[in-house]
Amino acid sequence: MKASPGARSWIAAGVRHELLTRVLPALRHDMAAPMSVIRMGLLMLKRQASAPAVDEAAWEERIALVEDQVVALVSGVRSLRDWELAVSDDGITRSALVAQCTGLMRTAFEFSGIGLQVGDGLEPEEAEPRFPAGAAMRYMFLGALSYLHDSAPQISAIRVEAEGADALRFTAAPGASDAADPMKQAHRAPRKLAIDVIALQSLADDLGYAVAVDRHTVRLTLAPA
């Protein structure tokens, strides 16, 4: 039976949820790191406040450190809005998209024995064009990475390269099988939650992007179809 439009939307929502779940450890780390520094800074301030003589220079330095970390923490919390499709944004450049998404997934992929490589031509440039709907493109980028990660168990790296002015190509490089390594297998999604070609295509259809997929490559057009 052919899925209804509502059912297809639920499928795409499930894919987005799975992708967000995969980046949550990195997002949590980015927000937890300032908290650790703030706690240490406050502890030092308490010690300095109880000292017989207050070192004003050290006091001001600790306060400035705490203030900087509060700004970083607020920025991290606000960044969660970047994942809400309903929130309008000012888009994102191709280089920023690549840097952000590879940064979020690099550690998890390395645990699976898979390196993330970025090709030439994806460095930030002056007056670089912005593509609309940054949240949607983040999900598409992560979907392409996760498809190759989940679908090809014998790969050593995934390379992201610029293709033309408005597309990206993701290529899986063959490598030794990790089937016998329980640590690497622990970081792969369970088979029922793997991002397969149907899941990736459902996400692309729902968000309005064009993807060309085969077993070892994905081509993603950044401008909505």
Side-chain angles (χ1 to χ4, degrees), residues 39-122:
R39 291 179 63 185
M40 181 60 68
L42 291 175
L43 177 62
M44 296 302 296
L45 285 173
K46 289 180 180 179
R47 290 180 177 177
Q48 290 172 354
S50 62
V54 175
D55 186 337
E56 292 186 2
W59 187 270
E60 292 176 356
E61 180 182 350
R62 295 296 179 185
I63 290 176
L65 175 64
V66 171
E67 288 177 340
D68 288 343
Q69 295 305 306
V70 169
V71 171
L73 179 60
V74 171
S75 177
V77 172
R78 287 178 175 171
S79 72
L80 294 177
R81 297 176 72 248
D82 294 342
W83 300 92
E84 299 177 26
L85 295 177
V87 175
S88 60
D89 56 54
D90 59 354
I92 191 170
T93 64
R94 181 165 64 176
S95 63
L97 176 69
V98 172
Q100 183 182 89
C101 292
T102 54
L104 286 170
M105 299 303 293
R106 190 176 301 280
T107 299
F109 275 40
E110 287 177 350
F111 269 119
S112 297
I114 300 173
L116 282 178
Q117 304 171 352
V118 177
D120 298 333
L122 289 173

Side-chain angles (χ1 to χ4, degrees), residues 111-172:
F111 269 119
S112 297
I114 300 173
L116 282 178
Q117 304 171 352
V118 177
D120 298 333
L122 289 173
E123 302 82 6
E125 298 179 359
E126 189 174 349
E128 186 178 354
R130 303 182 75 86
F131 294 92
M137 283 199 295
R138 289 183 189 91
Y139 282 115
M140 288 304 307
F141 191 104
L142 295 172
L145 284 181
S146 297
Y147 162 74
L148 293 174
H149 176 273
D150 294 355
S151 300
Q154 298 184 15
I155 61 174
S156 60
I158 297 175
R159 185 171 180 81
V160 185
E161 298 177 290
E163 185 159 303
D166 65 347
L168 291 167
R169 179 172 292 275
F170 304 77
T171 306

Side-chain angles (χ1 to χ4, degrees), residues 161-225:
E161 298 177 290
E163 185 159 303
D166 65 347
L168 291 167
R169 179 172 292 275
F170 304 77
T171 306
S177 173
D178 59 9
D181 190 332
M183 285 298 295
K184 292 181 178 179
Q185 284 296 326
H187 291 273
R188 287 191 180 276
R191 186 64 181 173
K192 290 183 179 179
L193 296 179
I195 305 299
D196 58 15
V197 66
I198 296 175
L200 181 59
Q201 190 63 60
S202 297
L203 180 67
D205 292 344
D206 186 70
L207 296 178
Y209 287 85
V211 291
V213 183
D214 65 30
R215 182 167 176 78
H216 296 294
T217 65
V218 176
R219 185 187 188 279
L220 169 63
T221 302
L222 300 181

